[in-house]
């Protein structure tokens, strides 16, 4: 009876907390300046990436250092549409003119249409992820081997992007956007709208990921993480689950890229390079892997403190970030969110303590290789 | 014909640098299952050691001695990186055994801190290391010139490789190391201090990274983020070659170097990289364990 009361109470508290977060997000435009709101919108887009990363790393045990690429491809697809929209019909984007290109390359043509660009910005990352997953997971290439391959993927895509300056804008990337679907990107009301769309995307992605990690499917994912061979002996094919979840995660990163480029107004290879890609993993590590809320909160928290601190103390920020990385990975495998949960449980004592302790230890488990 | 010769030489040169970087990685990864992302920063430390040596020689010793600085810089770089590696192992890595992905992330954090440290001490812009007089010029061979610097690096790699071979396969310490690599528990039962073997191996791997940094200072300017871009290629060598055997790493480095050079020669720098990556993924379809795999019965 007591236990049941406690679970009911827990549920009510959690629901209230969710409602509070959503309400806070909805009210943010009322008390934030335009500049801050734009920043927050950008962080929300990062939160979507973090959710996708947590899905594969926290739950399935696949560490990808290549999500910057999926994010970047999504962003580039939308940027190509925005660039063509800003340039106007029958004319070439400025960087193509500078490079001596005389007619629009064929692969730019589909990006004249918003719908196609939006669709491709999610589908292309998914396709790339599916391809990579198909050629690795089926051969049981996993753990660090897979991670290294994703990092190599980042290196070659970025090199390719920089090398093909005439078609991609090179190091400068693509910028100078004006309109989206006829609305001016500079107007405050459009910015407000984009903020709300980002918030909705984050909530939607959260619900999708939660749906995936709960129930039997989520249990299989965690089994892929904790004991792949046992799962195989039970008749499941881990490769299919890995491929699926990696593809979904890449799609989320692509979506985040769209939201990013709409609000920030520029995308360049330096935003999808090795360092940004690994920073994305850092958000999840610090926020709390294996907890969706933790991952999204980590992205918001780290980026907020980054924009606050790195402007005034850029050197100190790098030391802090590197140090945080070490401390969190070594001492807090479940991140700050795991720490909070443990502290909360300790205060209640008794049953809750034992549960949280047990869960904390389970994540450290051996089969992360 | 001469074009082919030059390309062959270039690919050997690229391979030798890759090999020098990947050697330490392959050994720490094979022995301890630790991915050391700070390896690139250990290379950077080696390169800056060469830079400091050069400045010391220029400032405090007669000019005629200047040419000798590089001969001193190589062992100095080895020692400095060795000590940093030892400290790193004692302070961090030993908490991460059995968690390869976590070791990757934590060492990345270490790398960030070390890079920023270098930026604070030496400044963000690249610095140049003036190579000694006796390494300028080149060897004329059938109408093409092979630079002495590149030849020197190839020689350095061969010497390092022989030293590694003697250490691993012909010394008592190396035998202990191989024993731990093959079966950690059994080795520990037989009285080998696996803690000390781990620390020693990691430090040696780091020391070799320092030597690699010294070599890199010959072929270009050095900066705080020197190691970051070599490190990915070096890891690809490890994946391609398989872990735990010197031969695999050598073959992997040669393969990467040759394909990289020829693909880049036939297409261009960026497309060449894509092709090499595609080849590696294709190769792993055939041999997921890499070129030379340690045989094991354990199902991990």
């Amino acid at each position: 009876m007591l236990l049941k009361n406690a679970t009911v109470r827990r549920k009510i508290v959690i629901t209230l907390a969710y409602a509070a977060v959503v309400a806070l997000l909805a009210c943010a435009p009322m008390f934030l300046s335009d500049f801050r709101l734009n920043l927050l919108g950008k962080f929300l887009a990062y939160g979507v990436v973090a959710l996708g990363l947590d899905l594969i790393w926290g739950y399935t045990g696949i560490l990808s250092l290549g999500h910057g690429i999926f994010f970047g491809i999504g962003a580039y697809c939308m940027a190509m549409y925005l660039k063509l929209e800003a340039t106007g019909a029958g004319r070439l984007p400025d960087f193509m003119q500078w490079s001596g290109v005389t007619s629009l390359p064929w692969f730019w043509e589909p990006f004249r249409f918003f719908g196609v660009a939006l669709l491709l910005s999610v589908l292309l990352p998914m396709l790339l992820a599916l391809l990579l997953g198909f050629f690795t997971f089926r051969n049981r290439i996993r753990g660090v081997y897979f991670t290294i391959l994703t990092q190599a993927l980042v290196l070659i895509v970025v090199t390719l992007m920089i090398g093909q300056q005439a078609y991609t804008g090179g190091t400068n990337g693509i910028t100078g956007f004006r309109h989206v679907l006829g609305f001016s990107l500079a107007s405050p009301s459009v910015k407000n709208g984009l903020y709300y769309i980002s918030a909705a995307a984050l909530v939607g992605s959260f619900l999708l990921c939660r749906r995936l990690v709960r129930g039997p499917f989520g249990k299989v994912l965690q089994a892929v993480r904790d004991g792949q061979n046992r799962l195989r002996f039970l008749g499941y094919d881990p490769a299919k689950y890995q491929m699926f979840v990696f593809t979904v995660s890449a799609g989320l990163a692509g979506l985040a890229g769209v939201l990013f480029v709409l609000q920030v107004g520029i995308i360049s290879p330096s935003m999808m390079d090795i360092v940004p890609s690994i920073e994305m993993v850092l958000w999840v590590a610090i926020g709390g892997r294996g907890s969706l809320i933790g991952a999204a909160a980590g992205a918001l928290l780290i980026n907020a403190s980054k924009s606050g601190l790195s402007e005034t103390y850029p050197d100190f920020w790098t030391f802090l970030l590197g140090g945080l990385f070490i401390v969190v990975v070594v001492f807090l495998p479940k991140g700050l969110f795991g720490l909070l949960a443990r502290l909360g449980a300790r205060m209640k004592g008794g049953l809750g303590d034992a549960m949280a302790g047990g869960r904390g230890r389970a994540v450290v488990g051996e089969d992360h290789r | 014909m001469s074009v082919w010769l030059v390309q062959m030489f270039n690919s050997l040169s690229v391979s030798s640098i890759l090999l020098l970087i990947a050697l330490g990685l392959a050994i720490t990864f094979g022995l301890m299952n630790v991915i050391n992302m700070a390896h690139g920063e250990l290379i950077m430390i080696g390169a800056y050691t060469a830079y400091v040596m050069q400045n010391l020689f220029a400032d405090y010793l007669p000019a005629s001695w200047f040419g000798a600085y590089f001969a001193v810089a190589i062992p100095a770089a080895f020692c400095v990186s060795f000590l940093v590696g030892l400290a790193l192992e004692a302070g961090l890595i030993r908490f991460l055994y059995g968690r390869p992905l976590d070791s990757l992330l934590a060492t990345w954090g270490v790398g960030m801190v070390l890079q920023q440290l270098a930026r604070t001490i030496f400044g963000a812009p690249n610095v140049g290391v003036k190579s000694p007089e006796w390494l300028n010029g080149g060897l004329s061979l059938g109408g093409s010139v092979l630079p002495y610097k590149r030849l020197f690096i190839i020689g350095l790699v061969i010497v390092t490789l022989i030293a590694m071979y003697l250490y691993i396969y012909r010394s008592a310490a190396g035998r202990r190391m191989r024993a731990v690599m093959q079966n950690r528990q059994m080795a520990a039962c037989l009285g080998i201090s696996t803690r000390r073997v781990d620390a020693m191996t990691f430090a040696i791997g780091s020391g070799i990274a320092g030597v690699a940094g010294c070599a890199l200072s010959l072929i270009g300017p050095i900066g705080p983020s020197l190691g970051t871009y070599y490190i990915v290629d070096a890891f690809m060598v490890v994946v391609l070659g398989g872990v735990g055997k010197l031969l695999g790493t050598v073959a992997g480095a040669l393969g990467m170097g040759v394909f990289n050079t020829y693909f880049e020669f036939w297409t261009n720098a960026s497309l060449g990289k894509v092709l090499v990556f595609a080849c590696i993924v294709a190769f792993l379809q055939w041999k997921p364990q890499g070129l030379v795999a340690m045989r094991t019965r354990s199902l991990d």
Side-chain angles (χ1 to χ4, degrees), chain A residues 43-244:
Chain A
F43 301 161
L44 292 178
Y46 284 149
V48 176
V49 188
L51 284 175
L53 266 174
D54 196 27
L55 192 62
I56 58 169
W57 185 34
Y59 288 92
T60 325
I62 308 166
L63 177 57
S64 160
L65 298 182
H67 264 52
I69 289 307
F70 304 131
F71 176 82
I73 291 177
Y76 263 98
C77 286
M78 186 44 67
M80 283 157 85
Y81 159 77
L82 291 172
K83 190 74 195 171
L84 288 178
E85 182 90 351
T87 313
R91 297 183 52 210
L92 278 178
D94 44 13
F95 63 85
M96 286 191 186
Q97 292 172 10
W98 300 332
S99 306
V101 176
T102 46
S103 67
L104 201 65
W106 59 268
F107 57 87
W108 271 73
E109 290 292 346
F111 293 97
R112 287 186 186 285
F113 311 101
F114 178 81
V116 180
L118 188 62
L119 208 62
L120 282 178
S121 58
V122 178
L123 287 184
L124 279 183
M126 288 175 91
L127 189 69
L128 185 64
L130 187 64
L131 258 172
L132 186 68
F134 182 79
F135 283 114
T136 49
F137 294 132
R138 265 184 339 136
N139 284 305
R140 306 187 192 175
I141 296 171
R142 59 175 202 246
V144 282
Y145 291 94
F146 180 79
T147 305
I148 291 168
L149 284 178
T150 54
Q151 194 165 45
L153 181 74
V154 175
L155 192 64
I156 61 162
V157 173
V158 169
T159 327
L160 201 64
M161 285 286 193
I162 294 175
Q164 306 296 319
Q165 180 154 13
Y167 305 117
T168 60
T171 329
N172 303 328
I174 304 181
T175 186
F177 311 134
R178 290 205 190 92
H179 306 284
V180 54
L181 290 172
F183 299 107
S184 165
L185 280 170
S187 87
S189 58
V190 171
K191 285 190 167 172
N192 249 345
L194 284 173
Y195 166 78
Y196 276 119
I197 292 172
S198 302
L202 184 65
V203 173
S205 313
F206 175 75
L207 293 177
L208 171 76
C209 290
R210 205 172 68 142
R211 177 83 189 71
L212 285 176
V213 300
R214 294 224 168 147
F217 187 82
K219 288 280 178 287
V220 179
L221 290 187
Q222 288 172 37
V224 171
R225 178 189 73 194
D226 295 334
Q228 225 180 90
N229 285 315
R230 289 192 194 184
L231 193 65
R232 199 170 279 124
F233 294 145
L234 288 172
Y236 290 90
D237 181 4
K240 284 195 184 120
Y241 287 88
Q242 286 170 313
M243 270 151 66
F244 175 77

Side-chain angles (χ1 to χ4, degrees), chain A residues 135 139 229 273 329 369, chain B residues 37 99 102 108 229 285 300:
Chain A
F135 283 114
N139 284 305
N229 285 315
D273 208 346
V329 169
R369 47 196 84 198
Chain B
M37 275 288 170
R99 291 156 63 188
D102 287 353
W108 180 273
Y229 282 88
Q285 302 304 300
D300 112 273

